[in-house]
Amino acid sequence: KLQFLYFIVTDFIMLTLIIAGSVFSMLVWTTLLRMRISILHKPGQWWFIGVTLFALIGAFCIAKLTEFTLPVKMREAIVCKAAVVAFSTVMLLNPQINIDANINWEKLPSKAFILINHTSWLDAMIFTSLVPLKTIPFMRTLLKHTLLSLPIGGAVFRLAGHFPVYYKKDDEGSWEVDRERQEPVIEDVKAFIKGPTGYISFFPEGVVNKAPSKLLPFRRGSFQWPVDMDLPIYGFLAVNNEVSWPMNGMPGSPADIKVELFEICKNTLSLDKKYHDKAALAELCQEKMQSRLDQLRSSPNKKDQ
């Protein structure tokens, strides 16, 4: 018995030392990343990739475990929360990416459309990581249907309940929707937003913007829903995401990112009648987001003040 107890105690001590050593090493490494030492720039990028893959695989495993075991609404809520935890972990373990967020989710009404500027593949990760766990189960996005076929991430998008957009052609800049395939999705979106709480977020530019300082023309089709449903519209702007994850470069570079969530309009019926048209509404939203983007880009970071 004493020998058995000895092995239990020694194993416990070894395990404790391993965990403590791992935590200490993680703290040292993240502190070095926060200092942005130039020699650690490339290792920091590979670290970002590794942590992101690990987090996505975790979210993927949770999604697949719930696919056939839980009711749809419960499964979607769990997968959405898993995505928040995954991307929050990525941001937490990559302090070289500093995020200055001016967001008050408590002021968000129970229903809204949220427009997000698109400058990098990092956009969706940062947006998701900042959404509260109590809010994310009621958040859905519109995304190109081909993204649902991505390895690992595609299953997470699908099982989280996000809505695909079916285009007739996969060419960049071709926005003609396959109406026959899209019709059932439109009905699903309407049913979702008619619930007591619901948010639809999407990138109105449609593609990653190669010149982030100036918004691309907003796609008009998606603005028919705010017109028909008379819902609030909010803008979510992020600046310098492309510095950390450039379009044709490795992710994880140091960057000072500024983020803001703001109200564009309380509802469409409160606007002048000319904005009850989807094209006019899209132009109005773009003008207001561009004005706010210019202010955000010129404002100093909190850590520099």
mmCIF file with all atom_site columns, all heavy atoms in Angstrom, residues 30-49:
data_model
loop_
_atom_site.group_PDB
_atom_site.id
_atom_site.type_symbol
_atom_site.label_atom_id
_atom_site.label_alt_id
_atom_site.label_comp_id
_atom_site.label_asym_id
_atom_site.label_entity_id
_atom_site.label_seq_id
_atom_site.pdbx_PDB_ins_code
_atom_site.Cartn_x
_atom_site.Cartn_y
_atom_site.Cartn_z
_atom_site.occupancy
_atom_site.B_iso_or_equiv
_atom_site.pdbx_formal_charge
_atom_site.auth_seq_id
_atom_site.auth_comp_id
_atom_site.auth_asym_id
_atom_site.auth_atom_id
_atom_site.pdbx_PDB_model_num
ATOM 1   N N   . THR A 1 30 ? 4.286  34.269 -24.580 1.00 0.00 ? 30 THR A N   1
ATOM 2   C CA  . THR A 1 30 ? 3.325  35.307 -24.938 1.00 0.00 ? 30 THR A CA  1
ATOM 3   C C   . THR A 1 30 ? 3.834  36.690 -24.528 1.00 0.00 ? 30 THR A C   1
ATOM 4   O O   . THR A 1 30 ? 3.538  37.687 -25.208 1.00 0.00 ? 30 THR A O   1
ATOM 5   C CB  . THR A 1 30 ? 1.949  35.036 -24.290 1.00 0.00 ? 30 THR A CB  1
ATOM 6   O OG1 . THR A 1 30 ? 2.107  34.841 -22.875 1.00 0.00 ? 30 THR A OG1 1
ATOM 7   C CG2 . THR A 1 30 ? 1.298  33.809 -24.898 1.00 0.00 ? 30 THR A CG2 1
ATOM 8   N N   . THR A 1 31 ? 4.607  36.756 -23.448 1.00 0.00 ? 31 THR A N   1
ATOM 9   C CA  . THR A 1 31 ? 5.209  38.035 -23.058 1.00 0.00 ? 31 THR A CA  1
ATOM 10  C C   . THR A 1 31 ? 6.207  38.507 -24.102 1.00 0.00 ? 31 THR A C   1
ATOM 11  O O   . THR A 1 31 ? 6.239  39.696 -24.467 1.00 0.00 ? 31 THR A O   1
ATOM 12  C CB  . THR A 1 31 ? 5.918  37.899 -21.690 1.00 0.00 ? 31 THR A CB  1
ATOM 13  O OG1 . THR A 1 31 ? 4.963  37.518 -20.708 1.00 0.00 ? 31 THR A OG1 1
ATOM 14  C CG2 . THR A 1 31 ? 6.564  39.225 -21.285 1.00 0.00 ? 31 THR A CG2 1
ATOM 15  N N   . LEU A 1 32 ? 7.000  37.580 -24.624 1.00 0.00 ? 32 LEU A N   1
ATOM 16  C CA  . LEU A 1 32 ? 7.952  37.922 -25.684 1.00 0.00 ? 32 LEU A CA  1
ATOM 17  C C   . LEU A 1 32 ? 7.228  38.358 -26.953 1.00 0.00 ? 32 LEU A C   1
ATOM 18  O O   . LEU A 1 32 ? 7.665  39.299 -27.632 1.00 0.00 ? 32 LEU A O   1
ATOM 19  C CB  . LEU A 1 32 ? 8.869  36.721 -25.968 1.00 0.00 ? 32 LEU A CB  1
ATOM 20  C CG  . LEU A 1 32 ? 9.860  36.342 -24.860 1.00 0.00 ? 32 LEU A CG  1
ATOM 21  C CD1 . LEU A 1 32 ? 10.568 35.046 -25.200 1.00 0.00 ? 32 LEU A CD1 1
ATOM 22  C CD2 . LEU A 1 32 ? 10.873 37.465 -24.653 1.00 0.00 ? 32 LEU A CD2 1
ATOM 23  N N   . LEU A 1 33 ? 6.123  37.681 -27.270 1.00 0.00 ? 33 LEU A N   1
ATOM 24  C CA  . LEU A 1 33 ? 5.341  38.078 -28.439 1.00 0.00 ? 33 LEU A CA  1
ATOM 25  C C   . LEU A 1 33 ? 4.780  39.485 -28.260 1.00 0.00 ? 33 LEU A C   1
ATOM 26  O O   . LEU A 1 33 ? 4.761  40.286 -29.204 1.00 0.00 ? 33 LEU A O   1
ATOM 27  C CB  . LEU A 1 33 ? 4.189  37.090 -28.672 1.00 0.00 ? 33 LEU A CB  1
ATOM 28  C CG  . LEU A 1 33 ? 4.548  35.712 -29.217 1.00 0.00 ? 33 LEU A CG  1
ATOM 29  C CD1 . LEU A 1 33 ? 3.305  34.834 -29.312 1.00 0.00 ? 33 LEU A CD1 1
ATOM 30  C CD2 . LEU A 1 33 ? 5.219  35.826 -30.589 1.00 0.00 ? 33 LEU A CD2 1
ATOM 31  N N   . ARG A 1 34 ? 4.316  39.784 -27.046 1.00 0.00 ? 34 ARG A N   1
ATOM 32  C CA  . ARG A 1 34 ? 3.761  41.108 -26.766 1.00 0.00 ? 34 ARG A CA  1
ATOM 33  C C   . ARG A 1 34 ? 4.829  42.195 -26.945 1.00 0.00 ? 34 ARG A C   1
ATOM 34  O O   . ARG A 1 34 ? 4.513  43.319 -27.334 1.00 0.00 ? 34 ARG A O   1
ATOM 35  C CB  . ARG A 1 34 ? 3.188  41.154 -25.352 1.00 0.00 ? 34 ARG A CB  1
ATOM 36  C CG  . ARG A 1 34 ? 2.473  42.454 -25.021 1.00 0.00 ? 34 ARG A CG  1
ATOM 37  C CD  . ARG A 1 34 ? 1.870  42.454 -23.631 1.00 0.00 ? 34 ARG A CD  1
ATOM 38  N NE  . ARG A 1 34 ? 0.700  41.570 -23.579 1.00 0.00 ? 34 ARG A NE  1
ATOM 39  C CZ  . ARG A 1 34 ? 0.660  40.406 -22.963 1.00 0.00 ? 34 ARG A CZ  1
ATOM 40  N NH1 . ARG A 1 34 ? 1.753  39.952 -22.358 1.00 0.00 ? 34 ARG A NH1 1
ATOM 41  N NH2 . ARG A 1 34 ? -0.430 39.676 -22.942 1.00 0.00 ? 34 ARG A NH2 1
ATOM 42  N N   . MET A 1 35 ? 6.079  41.859 -26.675 1.00 0.00 ? 35 MET A N   1
ATOM 43  C CA  . MET A 1 35 ? 7.180  42.829 -26.813 1.00 0.00 ? 35 MET A CA  1
ATOM 44  C C   . MET A 1 35 ? 7.538  43.079 -28.274 1.00 0.00 ? 35 MET A C   1
ATOM 45  O O   . MET A 1 35 ? 8.262  44.024 -28.588 1.00 0.00 ? 35 MET A O   1
ATOM 46  C CB  . MET A 1 35 ? 8.398  42.306 -26.050 1.00 0.00 ? 35 MET A CB  1
ATOM 47  C CG  . MET A 1 35 ? 8.196  42.249 -24.547 1.00 0.00 ? 35 MET A CG  1
ATOM 48  S SD  . MET A 1 35 ? 9.531  41.350 -23.700 1.00 0.00 ? 35 MET A SD  1
ATOM 49  C CE  . MET A 1 35 ? 10.924 42.435 -24.044 1.00 0.00 ? 35 MET A CE  1
ATOM 50  N N   . ARG A 1 36 ? 7.060  42.228 -29.165 1.00 0.00 ? 36 ARG A N   1
ATOM 51  C CA  . ARG A 1 36 ? 7.264  42.384 -30.617 1.00 0.00 ? 36 ARG A CA  1
ATOM 52  C C   . ARG A 1 36 ? 8.747  42.441 -30.983 1.00 0.00 ? 36 ARG A C   1
ATOM 53  O O   . ARG A 1 36 ? 9.193  43.322 -31.734 1.00 0.00 ? 36 ARG A O   1
ATOM 54  C CB  . ARG A 1 36 ? 6.534  43.619 -31.142 1.00 0.00 ? 36 ARG A CB  1
ATOM 55  C CG  . ARG A 1 36 ? 5.032  43.535 -30.953 1.00 0.00 ? 36 ARG A CG  1
ATOM 56  C CD  . ARG A 1 36 ? 4.325  44.749 -31.502 1.00 0.00 ? 36 ARG A CD  1
ATOM 57  N NE  . ARG A 1 36 ? 2.886  44.598 -31.408 1.00 0.00 ? 36 ARG A NE  1
ATOM 58  C CZ  . ARG A 1 36 ? 2.011  45.527 -31.813 1.00 0.00 ? 36 ARG A CZ  1
ATOM 59  N NH1 . ARG A 1 36 ? 2.447  46.653 -32.340 1.00 0.00 ? 36 ARG A NH1 1
ATOM 60  N NH2 . ARG A 1 36 ? 0.709  45.317 -31.678 1.00 0.00 ? 36 ARG A NH2 1
ATOM 61  N N   . ILE A 1 37 ? 9.512  41.520 -30.467 1.00 0.00 ? 37 ILE A N   1
ATOM 62  C CA  . ILE A 1 37 ? 10.937 41.422 -30.798 1.00 0.00 ? 37 ILE A CA  1
ATOM 63  C C   . ILE A 1 37 ? 11.062 40.946 -32.246 1.00 0.00 ? 37 ILE A C   1
ATOM 64  O O   . ILE A 1 37 ? 10.461 39.940 -32.635 1.00 0.00 ? 37 ILE A O   1
ATOM 65  C CB  . ILE A 1 37 ? 11.646 40.454 -29.837 1.00 0.00 ? 37 ILE A CB  1
ATOM 66  C CG1 . ILE A 1 37 ? 11.493 40.953 -28.391 1.00 0.00 ? 37 ILE A CG1 1
ATOM 67  C CG2 . ILE A 1 37 ? 13.114 40.302 -30.199 1.00 0.00 ? 37 ILE A CG2 1
ATOM 68  C CD1 . ILE A 1 37 ? 11.972 39.974 -27.345 1.00 0.00 ? 37 ILE A CD1 1
ATOM 69  N N   . SER A 1 38 ? 11.822 41.663 -33.036 1.00 0.00 ? 38 SER A N   1
ATOM 70  C CA  . SER A 1 38 ? 11.868 41.414 -34.484 1.00 0.00 ? 38 SER A CA  1
ATOM 71  C C   . SER A 1 38 ? 12.300 39.987 -34.827 1.00 0.00 ? 38 SER A C   1
ATOM 72  O O   . SER A 1 38 ? 11.801 39.399 -35.786 1.00 0.00 ? 38 SER A O   1
ATOM 73  C CB  . SER A 1 38 ? 12.812 42.413 -35.160 1.00 0.00 ? 38 SER A CB  1
ATOM 74  O OG  . SER A 1 38 ? 14.111 42.324 -34.608 1.00 0.00 ? 38 SER A OG  1
ATOM 75  N N   . ILE A 1 39 ? 13.217 39.418 -34.041 1.00 0.00 ? 39 ILE A N   1
ATOM 76  C CA  . ILE A 1 39 ? 13.711 38.070 -34.333 1.00 0.00 ? 39 ILE A CA  1
ATOM 77  C C   . ILE A 1 39 ? 12.619 37.017 -34.158 1.00 0.00 ? 39 ILE A C   1
ATOM 78  O O   . ILE A 1 39 ? 12.709 35.903 -34.684 1.00 0.00 ? 39 ILE A O   1
ATOM 79  C CB  . ILE A 1 39 ? 14.936 37.737 -33.449 1.00 0.00 ? 39 ILE A CB  1
ATOM 80  C CG1 . ILE A 1 39 ? 15.700 36.553 -34.036 1.00 0.00 ? 39 ILE A CG1 1
ATOM 81  C CG2 . ILE A 1 39 ? 14.519 37.464 -32.008 1.00 0.00 ? 39 ILE A CG2 1
ATOM 82  C CD1 . ILE A 1 39 ? 17.018 36.287 -33.334 1.00 0.00 ? 39 ILE A CD1 1
ATOM 83  N N   . LEU A 1 40 ? 11.558 37.369 -33.413 1.00 0.00 ? 40 LEU A N   1
ATOM 84  C CA  . LEU A 1 40 ? 10.460 36.433 -33.179 1.00 0.00 ? 40 LEU A CA  1
ATOM 85  C C   . LEU A 1 40 ? 9.294  36.636 -34.149 1.00 0.00 ? 40 LEU A C   1
ATOM 86  O O   . LEU A 1 40 ? 8.245  36.018 -33.993 1.00 0.00 ? 40 LEU A O   1
ATOM 87  C CB  . LEU A 1 40 ? 9.948  36.575 -31.739 1.00 0.00 ? 40 LEU A CB  1
ATOM 88  C CG  . LEU A 1 40 ? 10.936 36.205 -30.625 1.00 0.00 ? 40 LEU A CG  1
ATOM 89  C CD1 . LEU A 1 40 ? 10.304 36.434 -29.265 1.00 0.00 ? 40 LEU A CD1 1
ATOM 90  C CD2 . LEU A 1 40 ? 11.393 34.760 -30.775 1.00 0.00 ? 40 LEU A CD2 1
ATOM 91  N N   . HIS A 1 41 ? 9.490  37.505 -35.132 1.00 0.00 ? 41 HIS A N   1
ATOM 92  C CA  . HIS A 1 41 ? 8.407  37.810 -36.077 1.00 0.00 ? 41 HIS A CA  1
ATOM 93  C C   . HIS A 1 41 ? 7.946  36.556 -36.822 1.00 0.00 ? 41 HIS A C   1
ATOM 94  O O   . HIS A 1 41 ? 6.758  36.226 -36.831 1.00 0.00 ? 41 HIS A O   1
ATOM 95  C CB  . HIS A 1 41 ? 8.876  38.880 -37.065 1.00 0.00 ? 41 HIS A CB  1
ATOM 96  C CG  . HIS A 1 41 ? 7.838  39.288 -38.057 1.00 0.00 ? 41 HIS A CG  1
ATOM 97  N ND1 . HIS A 1 41 ? 6.835  40.179 -37.765 1.00 0.00 ? 41 HIS A ND1 1
ATOM 98  C CD2 . HIS A 1 41 ? 7.622  38.904 -39.347 1.00 0.00 ? 41 HIS A CD2 1
ATOM 99  C CE1 . HIS A 1 41 ? 6.060  40.334 -38.822 1.00 0.00 ? 41 HIS A CE1 1
ATOM 100 N NE2 . HIS A 1 41 ? 6.520  39.582 -39.796 1.00 0.00 ? 41 HIS A NE2 1
ATOM 101 N N   . LYS A 1 42 ? 8.886  35.852 -37.434 1.00 0.00 ? 42 LYS A N   1
ATOM 102 C CA  . LYS A 1 42 ? 8.524  34.649 -38.203 1.00 0.00 ? 42 LYS A CA  1
ATOM 103 C C   . LYS A 1 42 ? 8.022  33.514 -37.307 1.00 0.00 ? 42 LYS A C   1
ATOM 104 O O   . LYS A 1 42 ? 6.993  32.898 -37.603 1.00 0.00 ? 42 LYS A O   1
ATOM 105 C CB  . LYS A 1 42 ? 9.725  34.181 -39.030 1.00 0.00 ? 42 LYS A CB  1
ATOM 106 C CG  . LYS A 1 42 ? 9.422  33.006 -39.970 1.00 0.00 ? 42 LYS A CG  1
ATOM 107 C CD  . LYS A 1 42 ? 8.364  33.374 -41.013 1.00 0.00 ? 42 LYS A CD  1
ATOM 108 C CE  . LYS A 1 42 ? 8.896  34.358 -42.017 1.00 0.00 ? 42 LYS A CE  1
ATOM 109 N NZ  . LYS A 1 42 ? 7.919  34.616 -43.116 1.00 0.00 ? 42 LYS A NZ  1
ATOM 110 N N   . PRO A 1 43 ? 8.717  33.193 -36.180 1.00 0.00 ? 43 PRO A N   1
ATOM 111 C CA  . PRO A 1 43 ? 8.160  32.177 -35.267 1.00 0.00 ? 43 PRO A CA  1
ATOM 112 C C   . PRO A 1 43 ? 6.772  32.541 -34.770 1.00 0.00 ? 43 PRO A C   1
ATOM 113 O O   . PRO A 1 43 ? 5.923  31.666 -34.573 1.00 0.00 ? 43 PRO A O   1
ATOM 114 C CB  . PRO A 1 43 ? 9.172  32.148 -34.120 1.00 0.00 ? 43 PRO A CB  1
ATOM 115 C CG  . PRO A 1 43 ? 10.446 32.632 -34.712 1.00 0.00 ? 43 PRO A CG  1
ATOM 116 C CD  . PRO A 1 43 ? 10.051 33.651 -35.744 1.00 0.00 ? 43 PRO A CD  1
ATOM 117 N N   . GLY A 1 44 ? 6.527  33.854 -34.578 1.00 0.00 ? 44 GLY A N   1
ATOM 118 C CA  . GLY A 1 44 ? 5.213  34.298 -34.131 1.00 0.00 ? 44 GLY A CA  1
ATOM 119 C C   . GLY A 1 44 ? 4.133  34.004 -35.153 1.00 0.00 ? 44 GLY A C   1
ATOM 120 O O   . GLY A 1 44 ? 2.998  33.657 -34.797 1.00 0.00 ? 44 GLY A O   1
ATOM 121 N N   . GLN A 1 45 ? 4.479  34.117 -36.430 1.00 0.00 ? 45 GLN A N   1
ATOM 122 C CA  . GLN A 1 45 ? 3.514  33.807 -37.489 1.00 0.00 ? 45 GLN A CA  1
ATOM 123 C C   . GLN A 1 45 ? 3.177  32.316 -37.494 1.00 0.00 ? 45 GLN A C   1
ATOM 124 O O   . GLN A 1 45 ? 2.002  31.942 -37.621 1.00 0.00 ? 45 GLN A O   1
ATOM 125 C CB  . GLN A 1 45 ? 4.090  34.225 -38.850 1.00 0.00 ? 45 GLN A CB  1
ATOM 126 C CG  . GLN A 1 45 ? 4.184  35.733 -39.028 1.00 0.00 ? 45 GLN A CG  1
ATOM 127 C CD  . GLN A 1 45 ? 4.787  36.113 -40.370 1.00 0.00 ? 45 GLN A CD  1
ATOM 128 O OE1 . GLN A 1 45 ? 5.758  35.506 -40.839 1.00 0.00 ? 45 GLN A OE1 1
ATOM 129 N NE2 . GLN A 1 45 ? 4.215  37.115 -41.015 1.00 0.00 ? 45 GLN A NE2 1
ATOM 130 N N   . TRP A 1 46 ? 4.203  31.477 -37.365 1.00 0.00 ? 46 TRP A N   1
ATOM 131 C CA  . TRP A 1 46 ? 3.946  30.034 -37.331 1.00 0.00 ? 46 TRP A CA  1
ATOM 132 C C   . TRP A 1 46 ? 3.172  29.650 -36.072 1.00 0.00 ? 46 TRP A C   1
ATOM 133 O O   . TRP A 1 46 ? 2.339  28.744 -36.097 1.00 0.00 ? 46 TRP A O   1
ATOM 134 C CB  . TRP A 1 46 ? 5.270  29.261 -37.411 1.00 0.00 ? 46 TRP A CB  1
ATOM 135 C CG  . TRP A 1 46 ? 5.858  29.248 -38.784 1.00 0.00 ? 46 TRP A CG  1
ATOM 136 C CD1 . TRP A 1 46 ? 6.965  29.902 -39.228 1.00 0.00 ? 46 TRP A CD1 1
ATOM 137 C CD2 . TRP A 1 46 ? 5.325  28.562 -39.925 1.00 0.00 ? 46 TRP A CD2 1
ATOM 138 N NE1 . TRP A 1 46 ? 7.171  29.675 -40.561 1.00 0.00 ? 46 TRP A NE1 1
ATOM 139 C CE2 . TRP A 1 46 ? 6.180  28.846 -41.020 1.00 0.00 ? 46 TRP A CE2 1
ATOM 140 C CE3 . TRP A 1 46 ? 4.227  27.737 -40.126 1.00 0.00 ? 46 TRP A CE3 1
ATOM 141 C CZ2 . TRP A 1 46 ? 5.963  28.328 -42.288 1.00 0.00 ? 46 TRP A CZ2 1
ATOM 142 C CZ3 . TRP A 1 46 ? 4.005  27.224 -41.408 1.00 0.00 ? 46 TRP A CZ3 1
ATOM 143 C CH2 . TRP A 1 46 ? 4.863  27.518 -42.465 1.00 0.00 ? 46 TRP A CH2 1
ATOM 144 N N   . TRP A 1 47 ? 3.445  30.337 -34.971 1.00 0.00 ? 47 TRP A N   1
ATOM 145 C CA  . TRP A 1 47 ? 2.691  30.119 -33.743 1.00 0.00 ? 47 TRP A CA  1
ATOM 146 C C   . TRP A 1 47 ? 1.222  30.428 -33.956 1.00 0.00 ? 47 TRP A C   1
ATOM 147 O O   . TRP A 1 47 ? 0.340  29.667 -33.538 1.00 0.00 ? 47 TRP A O   1
ATOM 148 C CB  . TRP A 1 47 ? 3.281  30.982 -32.633 1.00 0.00 ? 47 TRP A CB  1
ATOM 149 C CG  . TRP A 1 47 ? 2.455  31.060 -31.384 1.00 0.00 ? 47 TRP A CG  1
ATOM 150 C CD1 . TRP A 1 47 ? 1.646  32.091 -31.003 1.00 0.00 ? 47 TRP A CD1 1
ATOM 151 C CD2 . TRP A 1 47 ? 2.351  30.079 -30.348 1.00 0.00 ? 47 TRP A CD2 1
ATOM 152 N NE1 . TRP A 1 47 ? 1.048  31.828 -29.799 1.00 0.00 ? 47 TRP A NE1 1
ATOM 153 C CE2 . TRP A 1 47 ? 1.464  30.590 -29.366 1.00 0.00 ? 47 TRP A CE2 1
ATOM 154 C CE3 . TRP A 1 47 ? 2.925  28.828 -30.143 1.00 0.00 ? 47 TRP A CE3 1
ATOM 155 C CZ2 . TRP A 1 47 ? 1.144  29.898 -28.213 1.00 0.00 ? 47 TRP A CZ2 1
ATOM 156 C CZ3 . TRP A 1 47 ? 2.602  28.129 -28.988 1.00 0.00 ? 47 TRP A CZ3 1
ATOM 157 C CH2 . TRP A 1 47 ? 1.722  28.655 -28.053 1.00 0.00 ? 47 TRP A CH2 1
ATOM 158 N N   . PHE A 1 48 ? 0.946  31.556 -34.622 1.00 0.00 ? 48 PHE A N   1
ATOM 159 C CA  . PHE A 1 48 ? -0.440 31.948 -34.909 1.00 0.00 ? 48 PHE A CA  1
ATOM 160 C C   . PHE A 1 48 ? -1.143 30.868 -35.734 1.00 0.00 ? 48 PHE A C   1
ATOM 161 O O   . PHE A 1 48 ? -2.276 30.482 -35.443 1.00 0.00 ? 48 PHE A O   1
ATOM 162 C CB  . PHE A 1 48 ? -0.470 33.279 -35.661 1.00 0.00 ? 48 PHE A CB  1
ATOM 163 C CG  . PHE A 1 48 ? -1.850 33.752 -36.029 1.00 0.00 ? 48 PHE A CG  1
ATOM 164 C CD1 . PHE A 1 48 ? -2.569 34.566 -35.165 1.00 0.00 ? 48 PHE A CD1 1
ATOM 165 C CD2 . PHE A 1 48 ? -2.443 33.372 -37.231 1.00 0.00 ? 48 PHE A CD2 1
ATOM 166 C CE1 . PHE A 1 48 ? -3.849 34.995 -35.495 1.00 0.00 ? 48 PHE A CE1 1
ATOM 167 C CE2 . PHE A 1 48 ? -3.717 33.798 -37.569 1.00 0.00 ? 48 PHE A CE2 1
ATOM 168 C CZ  . PHE A 1 48 ? -4.422 34.610 -36.699 1.00 0.00 ? 48 PHE A CZ  1
ATOM 169 N N   . ILE A 1 49 ? -0.453 30.372 -36.759 1.00 0.00 ? 49 ILE A N   1
ATOM 170 C CA  . ILE A 1 49 ? -1.035 29.333 -37.615 1.00 0.00 ? 49 ILE A CA  1
ATOM 171 C C   . ILE A 1 49 ? -1.325 28.072 -36.801 1.00 0.00 ? 49 ILE A C   1
ATOM 172 O O   . ILE A 1 49 ? -2.402 27.475 -36.911 1.00 0.00 ? 49 ILE A O   1
ATOM 173 C CB  . ILE A 1 49 ? -0.087 29.018 -38.793 1.00 0.00 ? 49 ILE A CB  1
ATOM 174 C CG1 . ILE A 1 49 ? -0.001 30.223 -39.749 1.00 0.00 ? 49 ILE A CG1 1
ATOM 175 C CG2 . ILE A 1 49 ? -0.571 27.779 -39.562 1.00 0.00 ? 49 ILE A CG2 1
ATOM 176 C CD1 . ILE A 1 49 ? 1.064  30.079 -40.817 1.00 0.00 ? 49 ILE A CD1 1
#
